[in-house]
Amino acid sequence: MKLESKVPPGSLATKWTEYKSKMNLVAPNNKRRLEVIVVGTGLAGASAAATLGELGYHVKCFTFHDSPRRAHSIAAQGGINAAKNYQNDGDSVYRLFYDTIKGGDYRSREANVHRLAEVSRDIIDQCVAQGVPFAREYGGLLANRSFGGVLVSRTFYARGQTGQQLLIGAYQALSRQISLGTVQMYNRHEMLDLVKVDGKARGIIVRNLLDGKIERFAAHCVVLATGGYGNVFYLSTNAMGCNATAAWRSVRRGALMANPCFTQIHPTCIPVSGEYQSKLTLMSESLRNDGRVWVPKSVSDAKAIQKGEKNALDIAEGDRDYYLERRYPAFGNLVPRDVASRAAKVACDEGKGVAPTGLAVYLDFAEAIDRYGRARAHSRGIGNPTEAQVIELGEEIIRQKYGNLFQMYEKITGEDPYKMPMKIYPAVHYTMGGLWVDYNLETNVPGLFALGECNFSDHGANRLGASALMQGLADGYFVIPYTIGAFLSQEIRTPKFSTDLPEFAEAEKSVKDRIDRLMSTNGNQSVESFHRRLGKIMWEYCGMSRTAEGLKKGIDEIRALRKEYYEQVYVPGTKAEFNPELEKALRVADFLELGEVMMNDALNRNESCGGHFRYEYRTPEGEAKRDDDNYTYVAAWSWSEDGKILMYKEDLVFENVELKTRSYK
Amino acid sequence: MKINLKVWRQKDSKDKGHFETYPVEANEHMSFLEMMDVLNEDLLAQKKEPVAFEHDCREGICGACSLVIDGRPHGPQTGTTTCQLHMRHFKSGDTIIVEPWRANAFPVIKDLVVDRSSFDRVIQAGGYISVNTGQAQDGNAIPIEKGLASRSMDAAECIGCGACVAACPNGSAMLFTSAKVSHLGLLPQGKVEHVNRVRGMVAQMDKEGFGNCSNIEACEAECPKEISVVNIARMNRAYIGASIVEE
Ligand SMILES: Cc1cc2nc3c(=O)[nH]c(=O)nc-3n(C[C@H](O)[C@H](O)[C@H](O)COP(=O)(O)OP(=O)(O)OC[C@H]3O[C@@H](n4cnc5c(N)ncnc54)[C@H](O)[C@@H]3O)c2cc1C
Ligand code: FES
C-alpha cells in the first residue's frame, strides 16, 4: 500500500488558499441529503459537528459522555496559540509554522503544519465572537503569554481554564445546531466498531451505555474526533474515560496507526504518591513562565529532603542547581516539554530528586514573587517596601495569574505553593501519534476522517504547549468543513445507506461477540488491575527512555498480559444495563493491543527524536540524536485479525525548512 | 484510616433504592473518589457489583462527579468538587453518607449516577451566540474592558455539575441558567440576543421540571466554582425586562 499525502501543489504559503478555491463544492440541496457521522464532542468533534451542521449537512454526533461538554478538552489549562502578532514581537504565520516543525523534531508534514499556522488566527476571531472570555489587557485588547519552545508571546488564555472556555464555545455552537435540527446528538453512546461498505466508511456500531443496546448508524462518511490514547499508560494526565477504542477499532478495519510511539511526557505534573493513585494532575506549562526548576546540587541534601530532615527552604541559594537555566541558557525554564522532562529524569536518576520517592523536582516561585512584588510596590509609589510588603504584593500578582492552579496544587498535596516550592515530575500527557491521515484529514480508508488528538498530523515527535487546542479547533472549524467536500462531492448520487446491509450485521455480531467473551470469562481479577499492570509495562519500557532490549521484553510481557486478560478478567453485572465495568473492559482490551504496536514502533525507530528517546541514540551531552537519513518518515501500522503487525512508510519531504539539530541552548 | 461508608444503592431508575454500609480502609492522601475506587475493588474481589458513580477529569473541571456527601453536594469543603476532596478532611472511624444528586429534573440512572441532560436542553434553548464559523471579525475589533471580561469569566467558570440544583430545596436551576446568561449577556457580542436568550432558557428550565427560586442561596454556598447569586439577580432583571419588551 502506498500512502498518498495528497498535499496539493504550489508554494507552501499559498497552497491551502489555492486548494480551497479550486475545490469541488457540494450544492446546498445536496448537502441536506448527505449524512455525516461525527464521533466525539471535544474541541475537534464539537467544532466539526457544529460547522458541518451550519453548512447544511445532516449530522449525527456521538459521545460516550453524558453531555458533549464533558469531553476531555475541558481540562486543558494553559492556552491556545495563534500567530496574531498582537504583541508586535516578531510573530508570523511562518514563525508559528517553523516553531511547530522544529518543536516536533522534523517529523511532521510541512503543508499540514503551515495550514494550521494560517488558520490559527481565524480561530481566535471565531472564539471571541462566540463569547469566549479570553484574558484582556487594561486597554481591553486580548492578552498573551508564552509557552515552552518559543521566543514570542502568542498564547491566548482564559485564566487557567482555556480548554473549558473553548469547549464551552464549541458546545454552545453545537447546541445551537442541535436546537436547529441539523445535528442529532447521541450522548452516552460509545462507538465500538466501524462499518465499511465496498471499502468506504459508511457507518458505526455503538453501544447505548444506558441500557446496553447495540445500535447501528449509517451515513455517507464518518469523522472521528475521539481524542488521544495516553491512558494506555494507566497513569496520565488524561481524564479517566479517555480511550483508544474508536481509533483502534478503525485500525482493525484497515486504517493505519501512525507514529504510535510518539507520546508526550509533560514535565510539570504532581508526582505519584501512592499505589492507589488513579490519575496524575498537570500543573500547566504556563507556570514555567515564572517558576524556576531546580534540585539540590548535592545528593546528600537531596537524601535529607527525601527523608524529611530538610526542606526546600533549608537549601541555600548557592547549593541549588537550576539545571534548565544552566543547561539551556537561551530558553531556560521554557525549553520544550520533551527536553524538560528528560532533564528532570536525569536529575532524579542522579539521586537528586526531592520527594520521599526520589521522583520529583522543585518548581519555585519565590524569585517571581519577589520581582513582581518590587515592581508593584514601585508602581504604587512605595519607596522602600518591607520584605513582607513585597511578598504580599508579589503573591497577589501570582494569584491573579495562576490562582486556580495554586489552589489545585494545595488541594491535592496539602502544601502551600506560595510558601514552599511545588514538587513536580513528568507524566504522560498527550499522544502525537494517531490515525494516519492525508492532507484532507482522511485516513487510508476512504470516507473515514480523523481530527484532533486522534490523528497524527501536526505535531511530529513532540507537541508544543498550547498547540493541541489550536489543532483541534483548526481541524474542526476550518479544515474539515472544506476537505470533507473533496469526498462528499463524489457522493451526491449515493442514496442513504440502510443499516440492514450485511456489513452492518457482521460488524454488530463482532461487537456482540467481543462483549460476550468479556462477560463470560468470569475470572477473578478486575479490569482496573489489568489496566494498572499494562500501564506499568508501558511506562517501564516505552516511557521516557527506551531501549531495544527493554522494548522486546515489553512486547513479550504485553502479550502474556493480554492472554491472561481473556482468562482472568472479571466483569460484573450484565451486558444489557448501565455497566461501567464492561465499558472499561472493552477499552482495556483495545489498549492491550495498541500497547504492543506502540512498542513495535519504538523498536523500529532506531533514533531519538522529540518524545521518543532511545537510550542507544544520544549525543555525548545526553541529548536526543536523530537519524534523518534513515528515519525521516511516518511509520504507519496495521493490525490484522490474527494479530499480525505491518508497517507502511510515508516519506517526509522538507522543501521549505532545513533539517537541523534542535538546539535550545 | 477506617471509614464506614453508607452508600445509596439503586439498581435502575425504577428501583426504590436503599442504603448499604461498607467498611473501607483508606489513607489520608487519597481523594474521595480514590477511596470509592478502593471500595469498588473490594466489592469486585468479592464478586459483588461495584458502586456506580460518575467521574472523568478528576481535576474539578469536567463537572461529571456528583456525590452528596454527608448531606452536602460535593461534601464538606467549600469551593471543591467531589473529585478534589481529599480524605485528610475526614477522621478514621467516621461514618460517611453518600447519596446521588436528588432533584426532579435529575432522575437516578443507577446508584449515584443521575441524568443531567436537562442542562443540555436548557443551553440548547438559547445559551449561545448565533455566529456561524467564518463570520467573525478580528478578535481585537471590539475592546472589552478587563473587569467586564473578568466578570463574564466568573460566570463562565460554571462546570455544569448540577450541585446548585441538588443543594436547592426547590430543585431550582437558577444559578446554572443565570451563570450562562451572565457569561454571554455581559459581553458586547452576547448583548444582541440577550433578551431572547433569557426568555428561551427560562421557559426550558420550567419545562424540565426545575423548581422556582425562593432566594435561599444554598446554591451559591455549595457551588464548587463559587458562582455568585448576583447572577440570579442579573437574570431576573433581564427577565422582567424581557416581559416588558413582550408587552
Ligand atoms: C490536563 C491537560 C491539560 C491540557 N492543556 C492544554 C493546553 O493548555 N493547551 C493545549 O493546546 N492543549 C492542552 N492539552 C491537550 C488538549 O487538551 C487535548 O489534546 C485536546 O483537547 C484533545 O481534543 P480532542 O477534541 O481531539 O479530543 P477530546 O477532547 O479528548 O474529546 C474526545 C471526544 O470523543 C468522545 N469519544 C471518544 N471515544 C469515543 C467512542 N468510542 N464513542 C463515542 N465517543 C467517543 C469523547 O466522549 C469526547 O467527546 C491538555 C491536556 C490535558 C490532559
Ligand atoms: S471528575 Fe471532573 S469535576 Fe470531578
Side-chain angles (χ1 to χ4, degrees):
Chain A
M1 186 178 3
K2 178 139 174 41
L3 295 176
E4 300 277 1
S5 68
K6 297 203 185 134
V7 172
S11 84
L12 184 67
T14 56
K15 64 173 68 181
W16 172 235
T17 311
E18 283 165 16
Y19 182 60
K20 269 195 310 187
S21 56
K22 292 191 190 134
M23 180 173 266
N24 287 333
L25 296 179
V26 182
N29 59 324
N30 285 328
K31 283 193 182 124
R32 277 195 293 277
R33 285 210 314 256
L34 291 170
E35 295 188 301
V36 180
I37 284 175
V38 177
V39 188
T41 63
L43 287 185
S47 59
T51 307
L52 294 171
E54 289 163 8
L55 288 173
Y57 292 110
H58 198 102
V59 181
K60 294 175 193 153
C61 186
F62 297 81
T63 167
F64 68 75
H65 286 100
D66 71 317
S67 161
R69 69 180 294 155
R70 308 244 194 263
H72 168 57
S73 295
I74 202 96
Q77 303 170 348
I80 177 166
N81 289 330
K84 280 287 200 184
N85 194 27
Y86 283 158
Q87 306 305 324
N88 195 28
D89 57 359
D91 200 7
S92 63
V93 167
Y94 185 83
R95 193 178 287 276
L96 174 53
F97 155 76
Y98 182 79
D99 286 345
T100 309
I101 290 275
K102 176 186 171 192
D105 222 352
Y106 307 93
R107 292 293 175 264
S108 43
R109 206 186 276 143
E110 277 188 341
N112 286 56
V113 176
H114 197 275
R115 174 176 66 191
L116 173 68
E118 284 172 59
V119 304
S120 69
R121 299 175 299 186
D122 302 331
I123 295 172
I124 300 305
D125 301 341
Q126 184 63 29
C127 294
V128 169
Q130 289 170 342
V132 171
F134 283 120
R136 303 249 165 195
E137 306 287 0
Y138 282 104
L141 302 180
L142 293 160
N144 289 120
R145 59 185 169 206
S146 297
F147 260 53
V150 302
L151 297 171
V152 293
S153 194
R154 63 160 75 100
T155 305
F156 295 78
Y157 61 100
R159 292 194 187 142
Q161 295 109 293
T162 316
Q164 177 197 29
Q165 294 309 315
L166 296 174
L167 183 63
I168 295 292
Y171 161 71
Q172 286 170 189
L174 175 64
S175 296
R176 176 166 158 252
Q177 294 308 308
I178 296 171
S179 73
L180 294 171
T182 58
V183 178
Q184 261 171 295
M185 188 66 225
Y186 297 87
N187 296 339
R188 296 198 197 263
H189 278 68
E190 181 154 358
M191 168 180 166
L192 293 179
D193 211 344
L194 176 75
V195 183
K196 288 198 319 196
V197 180
D198 295 333
K200 295 181 185 172
R202 300 295 195 184
I204 58 174
I205 304 293
V206 302
R207 180 167 181 271
N208 180 337
L209 302 183
L210 286 176
D211 56 16
K213 270 208 196 74
I214 306 300
E215 301 170 10
R216 308 172 183 185
F217 290 91
H220 289 86
C221 66
V222 176
V223 178
L224 299 187
T226 49
Y229 51 86
N231 274 349
V232 66
F233 289 88
Y234 186 69
L235 285 181
S236 82
T237 62
N238 289 9
M240 303 294 287
C242 291
N243 70 86
T245 289
W248 185 248
R249 285 291 138 192
S250 303
V251 172
R252 297 281 244 132
R253 294 278 173 193
L256 301 177
M257 194 50 125
N259 298 336
C261 81
F262 288 170
T263 36
Q264 177 161 81
I265 317 273
H266 196 295
T268 53
C269 303
I270 299 180
V272 179
S273 60
E275 200 41 34
Y276 54 81
Q277 207 149 350
S278 57
K279 73 158 290 185
L280 297 173
T281 303
L282 175 76
M283 289 284 106
S284 167
E285 176 159 307
S286 57
L287 292 171
R288 285 198 276 141
N289 271 297
D290 284 311
R292 300 177 71 196
V293 178
W294 64 274
V295 291
K297 274 187 184 156
S298 78
V299 174
S300 61
D301 274 344
K303 287 271 162 314
I305 293 173
Q306 289 166 14
K307 288 197 208 112
E309 295 157 9
K310 279 189 181 174
N311 68 41
L313 306 181
D314 298 327
I315 310 298
E317 191 58 31
D319 296 330
R320 301 176 174 190
D321 180 13
Y322 296 92
Y323 58 84
L324 289 178
E325 296 169 25
R326 172 173 57 78
R327 288 178 60 183
Y328 308 99
F331 283 69
N333 293 296
L334 280 174
V335 291
R337 295 175 174 175
D338 54 337
V339 177
S341 289
R342 270 198 299 281
K345 182 173 189 303
V346 170
C348 294
D349 287 351
E350 286 169 358
K352 295 176 184 166
V354 295
T357 55
L359 296 177
V361 300
Y362 287 126
L363 182 63
D364 195 335
F365 294 87
E367 197 249 10
I369 290 175
D370 185 75
R371 176 164 38 89
Y372 285 127
R374 284 184 201 286
R376 174 66 54 103
H378 178 78
S379 71
R380 293 222 175 133
I382 307 173
N384 240 332
T386 64
E387 202 53 35
Q389 266 177 320
V390 169
I391 291 180
E392 193 190 321
L393 292 170
E395 285 186 357
E396 198 177 296
I397 294 184
I398 291 287
R399 193 167 293 118
Q400 279 164 16
K401 293 180 94 164
Y402 313 110
N404 67 322
L405 295 170
F406 275 53
Q407 213 182 13
M408 178 143 73
Y409 182 87
E410 180 164 9
K411 271 183 192 151
I412 293 174
T413 63
E415 281 181 24
D416 178 0
Y418 292 99
K419 306 290 174 227
M420 194 55 84
M422 288 184 178
K423 290 192 202 87
I424 52 160
Y425 196 68
V428 174
H429 178 59
Y430 180 87
T431 49
M432 280 74 71
L435 290 174
W436 183 87
V437 289
D438 63 16
Y439 189 71
N440 290 334
L441 304 183
E442 190 173 6
T443 67
N444 57 311
V445 175
L448 179 68
F449 296 81
L451 322 181
E453 192 173 339
C454 87
N455 74 25
F456 88 106
S457 79
D458 297 341
H459 307 293
N462 172 57
R463 174 175 70 81
L464 292 181
S467 284
L469 301 182
M470 168 172 74
Q471 185 222 332
L473 291 181
D475 289 359
Y477 283 135
F478 295 107
V479 179
I480 192 73
Y482 289 97
T483 58
I484 206 169
F487 178 82
L488 287 177
S489 58
Q490 310 302 312
E491 299 284 336
I492 51 176
R493 288 194 188 78
T494 314
K496 282 188 182 168
F497 287 86
S498 158
T499 53
D500 294 334
L501 291 171
E503 288 85 350
F504 280 88
E506 183 274 322
E508 180 181 309
K509 179 168 181 305
S510 96
V511 166
K512 288 183 165 161
D513 289 349
R514 266 155 62 208
I515 292 175
D516 289 338
R517 185 172 178 201
L518 289 166
M519 293 302 306
S520 61
T521 301
N522 199 15
N524 47 28
Q525 288 174 47
S526 68
V527 177
E528 202 75 10
S529 67
F530 279 101
H531 194 179
R532 211 177 287 247
R533 284 165 66 192
L534 171 65
K536 286 208 171 121
I537 298 174
M538 294 302 299
W539 182 246
E540 174 75 23
Y541 302 115
C542 203
M544 269 197 279
S545 178
R546 305 155 174 186
T547 63
E549 197 192 344
L551 288 161
K552 284 181 197 145
K553 218 159 129 196
I555 291 171
D556 290 341
E557 288 186 18
I558 290 191
R559 286 194 182 146
L561 188 67
R562 197 162 63 223
K563 183 160 173 290
E564 193 183 332
Y565 189 66
Y566 288 105
E567 291 160 4
Q568 287 300 331
V569 74
Y570 171 60
V571 183
T574 67
K575 61 185 176 185
E577 63 175 332
F578 183 77
N579 189 343
E581 285 295 313
L582 174 58
E583 294 166 28
K584 268 196 290 190
L586 286 157
R587 295 170 191 166
V588 171
D590 292 338
F591 280 143
L592 281 164
E593 295 178 357
L594 172 62
E596 187 180 333
V597 176
M598 291 169 69
M599 297 245 188
N600 275 283
D601 186 38
L603 187 58
N604 168 68
R605 197 168 276 279
N606 291 318
E607 64 165 349
S608 293
C609 59
H612 169 64
F613 190 74
R614 279 279 302 273
Y615 191 72
E616 305 97 316
Y617 306 100
R618 61 187 202 282
T619 65
E621 302 94 65
E623 305 290 342
K625 199 162 134 201
R626 269 192 350 249
D627 177 356
D628 292 336
D629 291 340
N630 294 305
Y631 290 96
T632 310
Y633 66 76
V634 177
W637 300 81
S638 71
W639 175 290
S640 61
E641 246 343 285
D642 52 0
K644 244 205 212 82
I645 301 175
L646 286 176
M647 197 251 296
Y648 302 86
K649 283 187 195 176
E650 178 203 337
D651 286 321
L652 290 169
V653 186
F654 289 88
E655 290 170 342
N656 300 276
V657 171
E658 187 196 342
L659 272 62
K660 288 196 201 141
T661 300
R662 212 162 51 124
S663 169
Y664 294 93
K665 296 186 191 264
Chain B
M1 58 201 288
K2 289 194 178 357
I3 301 289
N4 258 321
L5 267 192
K6 214 173 137 189
V7 184
W8 184 258
R9 304 295 318 246
Q10 182 172 340
K11 193 154 176 41
D12 51 35
S13 56
K14 284 169 222 107
D15 183 21
K16 275 208 336 279
H18 64 283
F19 280 106
E20 292 239 5
T21 305
Y22 308 99
V24 185
E25 189 61 50
N27 97 32
E28 58 172 22
H29 297 296
M30 286 178 179
S31 70
F32 198 86
L33 295 185
E34 282 165 350
M35 184 272 297
M36 296 291 291
D37 292 342
V38 171
L39 166 65
N40 279 346
E41 286 293 300
D42 283 354
L43 291 173
L44 282 166
Q46 302 164 45
K47 297 227 161 179
K48 289 188 185 147
E49 260 207 63
V51 179
F53 61 91
E54 205 123 44
H55 64 103
D56 197 25
C57 72
R58 298 202 174 191
E59 290 189 2
I61 191 74
C62 74
C65 61
S66 42
L67 304 182
V68 175
I69 299 165
D70 286 339
R72 296 186 60 185
H74 292 304
Q77 212 187 2
T78 52
T80 306
T81 55
T82 302
C83 59
Q84 290 201 294
L85 179 64
H86 279 70
M87 294 311 290
R88 66 180 83 91
H89 300 287
F90 298 89
K91 292 191 308 292
S92 189
D94 278 358
T95 294
I96 307 177
I97 303 172
V98 187
E99 298 166 85
W101 279 183
R102 295 191 193 277
N104 265 342
F106 292 162
V108 171
I109 290 170
K110 183 173 185 176
D111 296 338
L112 305 168
V113 177
V114 301
D115 177 359
R116 287 171 282 187
S117 53
S118 45
F119 268 11
D120 283 337
R121 292 186 292 273
V122 170
I123 298 294
Q124 285 156 21
Y128 45 75
I129 291 175
S130 300
V131 51
N132 283 358
T133 302
Q135 294 180 329
Q137 55 186 332
D138 186 82
N140 260 347
I142 318 170
I144 299 177
E145 194 259 319
K146 190 177 164 78
L148 189 66
S150 176
R151 284 196 296 287
S152 169
M153 180 67 194
D154 288 341
E157 286 189 342
C158 168
I159 57 174
C161 65
C164 48
V165 177
C168 177
N170 310 327
S172 166
M174 282 294 269
L175 192 64
F176 169 78
T177 308
S178 67
K180 184 52 55 195
V181 163
S182 288
H183 157 210
L184 298 175
L186 282 169
L187 298 171
Q189 312 84 300
K191 281 250 163 26
V192 184
E193 296 169 281
H194 184 55
V195 168
N196 278 336
R197 178 179 307 122
V198 173
R199 215 186 268 149
M201 291 178 78
V202 169
Q204 188 65 33
M205 209 169 67
D206 294 343
K207 209 159 116 193
E208 296 291 345
F210 290 108
N212 291 324
C213 172
S214 48
N215 299 317
I216 300 166
E217 302 189 359
C219 50
E220 181 187 271
E222 301 298 355
C223 173
K225 297 294 142 182
E226 303 182 303
I227 299 212
S228 159
V229 289
V230 167
N231 293 302
I232 298 185
R234 217 180 261 139
M235 181 165 84
N236 281 336
R237 275 200 302 280
Y239 190 71
I240 294 165
S243 323
I244 296 169
V245 172
E246 209 156 23
E247 283 155 20

